[in-house]
Amino acid sequence: KAGVTQTPRYLIKTRGQQVTLSCSPISGHRSVSWYQQTPGQGLQFLFEYFSETQRNKGNFPGRFSGRQFSNSRSEMNVSTLELGDSALYLCASSDRTGGGYTFGSGTRLTVV
Amino acid sequence: GENVEQHPSTLSVQEGDSAVIKCTYSDSASNYFPWYKQELGKRPQLIIDIRSNVGEKKDQRIAVTLNKTAKHFSLHITETQPEDSAVYFCAASIGRGGSSNTGKLIFGQGTTLQVKP
């Protein structure tokens, strides 16, 4: 079974630009969550989707948004990028909410 | 608020010794507690998890204990090996009430474990 696939692996963007990250969950998994990982703040929850519905949102500004498609693939978008958005963005999927999350390898975003 | 405190932040042990990492959570409705291991440059990997209806769970050299009354849970690694060296994260789910959970995990700040050969 293929794992959680995130693309791209690395991204360099300029301040003010926007970016879209993609996550393909493990086949059959309908729950997808996104996390931001930085050395200073650790792992912070961004959002959770289940069957195309956002079920939870973390404490991030409205510049951070996401969606989930009918095939469970998910995207997150960050608009008007700031230097502080530089981080590893991790996606995790599960076959149910509230447990057994498998992480992808992440997208390393650098904002310059 | 929603918070998970993890201690210690760094832990150095000799190969063969035991290692213990402790976490405290704030949301009394939390009922799912996973532990992740993250090696340098790699993704977090789920190594063991426990639900609140269980007090202890073991998987070979790894065990997790949960004290729901005190809102504490701990990871125990016995007979440590150099390949156990990594950053370990505890997490607690945010409850939705009753026995159900949201998909939101609150993570501790991580423990860097170094196992010296």
Side-chain angles (χ1 to χ4, degrees), chain A residues 33 35 37 40-43 45 48 55-57 88 90 96-105, chain B residues 2 32 36 38 41-46 49 51 89 93 96 101-109:
Chain A
S33 296
Y35 291 83
Q37 186 173 29
Q41 298 297 318
L43 281 151
F45 173 80
E48 177 216 355
R55 299 185 69 159
N56 273 288
K57 191 175 192 306
L88 179 66
L90 291 160
R96 60 193 187 283
T97 55
Y101 280 92
T102 299
F103 279 90
S105 296
Chain B
E2 303 161 347
Y32 174 69
Y36 285 87
Q38 188 174 29
K42 297 194 175 179
R43 64 186 178 92
Q45 286 193 289
L46 179 65
D49 56 12
R51 295 197 178 270
F89 293 96
S93 65
R96 204 197 302 277
N101 275 316
T102 70
K104 179 177 181 179
L105 295 176
I106 302 298
F107 282 85
Q109 286 297 310

Side-chain angles (χ1 to χ4, degrees), chain B residues 66-87:
Chain B
L66 172 65
N67 181 330
K68 210 161 188 295
T69 303
K71 296 185 198 168
H72 289 166
F73 59 114
S74 300
L75 177 72
H76 304 252
I77 305 174
T78 59
E79 298 170 26
T80 53
Q81 301 166 4
E83 51 265 38
D84 294 330
S85 296
V87 179

Side-chain angles (χ1 to χ4, degrees), chain A residues 26-107:
Chain A
I26 291 171
S27 178
H29 285 192
R30 291 192 293 161
S31 178
V32 173
S33 296
W34 288 87
Y35 291 83
Q36 181 195 66
Q37 186 173 29
T38 59
Q41 298 297 318
L43 281 151
Q44 292 190 289
F45 173 80
L46 280 155
F47 4 77
E48 177 216 355
Y49 288 89
F50 186 84
S51 294
E52 301 179 68
T53 301
Q54 186 181 89
R55 299 185 69 159
N56 273 288
K57 191 175 192 306
N59 296 325
F60 280 82
R63 301 185 294 107
F64 291 81
S65 62
R67 59 179 175 167
Q68 186 180 34
F69 302 95
S70 58
N71 62 357
S72 294
R73 190 176 72 85
S74 179
E75 288 181 348
M76 67 164 280
N77 184 277
V78 188
S79 62
T80 320
L81 284 165
E82 300 176 1
L83 295 179
D85 297 333
S86 295
L88 179 66
Y89 290 88
L90 291 160
C91 164
S93 76
S94 173
D95 58 359
R96 60 193 187 283
T97 55
Y101 280 92
T102 299
F103 279 90
S105 296
T107 294

